[in-house]
Amino acid sequence: MKSMSVAMKYFAFLFLTILFTISNAGPISATMQKRDVFVPPITNPTNATVWNSGEVQTVSWDTSAAPVNITNKFGRIQLRQNGNTFPLVLADGFDILLGSYNITVPLLITGVYELVLFGDSGNFSPDFTINGVSE
Ligand SMILES: *[C@@H]1O[C@H](CO)[C@@H](O)[C@H](O)[C@H]1NC(C)=O
Ligand SMILES: *[C@@H]1O[C@H](CO)[C@@H](O)[C@H](O)[C@H]1NC(C)=O
Ligand SMILES: *[C@@H]1O[C@H](CO)[C@@H](O)[C@H](O)[C@H]1NC(C)=O
């Protein structure tokens, strides 16, 4: 991803600007916090993970402590940085009991991110690195 054109960098900048603008408006994460039963810990990515924009990568989580009756069995995966959850949805509507799901890493500015797995509630991965375009 080293030889990104100026146009691509500009696109990534616009994209992130829009994401932050929307996520700072707030309503998305506020509504998500209300459901709270099953919060499976994310097992991948770890703090040693490095992903590249455009790659298909596997998000995994531990379902061993799942309650018998899950209030919301559908999962959703988003990204987060500096406490802001991006509205971009990487995957949605999958069975939270699957334990893993493949996503395509979006085009982002290279940096440290967290994944959020929403089901009944939101659970964060550790900080990990995504290599995209340089700022
Ligand atoms: C990364 O995770 C490993 C295993 O959980 C842990 O031992 C280590 O302290 C972590 N490193 C950082 C920088 O958080
Ligand atoms: C799960 O739901 C079923 C059907 O509604 C109910 O019979 C059962 O008692 C519930 N189990 C638990 C552990 O809540
Ligand atoms: C998920 O992605 C991994 C890594 O690219 C790949 O090996 C695996 O076959 C994919 N699984 C599915 C169900 O697409």
Side-chain angles (χ1 to χ4, degrees):
M1 286 293 185
K2 277 179 188 142
S3 56
M4 279 285 171
S5 71
V6 172
M8 286 294 272
K9 285 185 186 176
Y10 184 64
F11 170 78
F13 170 76
L14 273 184
F15 179 68
L16 284 179
T17 303
I18 293 165
L19 285 188
F20 278 114
T21 304
I22 299 170
S23 66
N24 286 336
I28 293 184
S29 49
T31 43
M32 288 310 131
Q33 303 305 333
K34 291 192 174 165
R35 306 173 258 161
D36 197 351
V37 180
F38 179 42
V39 187
I42 294 173
T43 51
N44 193 63
T46 69
N47 62 15
T49 294
V50 179
W51 285 349
N52 298 307
S53 290
E55 284 176 345
V56 173
Q57 290 289 357
T58 306
V59 179
S60 312
W61 56 94
D62 180 4
T63 60
S64 60
V68 179
N69 295 323
I70 300 173
T71 319
N72 172 30
K73 71 185 205 76
F74 296 109
R76 182 160 45 89
I77 296 169
Q78 287 171 252
L79 283 164
R80 181 176 194 262
Q81 188 180 50
N82 300 327
N84 293 311
T85 301
F86 301 167
L88 178 69
V89 174
L90 303 182
D92 199 8
F94 54 85
D95 185 346
I96 198 88
L97 295 179
L98 280 175
S100 70
Y101 205 80
N102 278 5
I103 55 108
T104 300
V105 183
L107 182 62
L108 294 166
I109 290 171
T110 296
V112 172
Y113 296 87
E114 292 171 6
L115 275 185
V116 195
L117 174 64
F118 289 104
D120 284 322
S121 182
N123 205 6
F124 309 133
S125 75
D127 283 346
F128 68 101
T129 301
I130 293 179
N131 284 323
V133 292
S134 40
E135 214 161 344

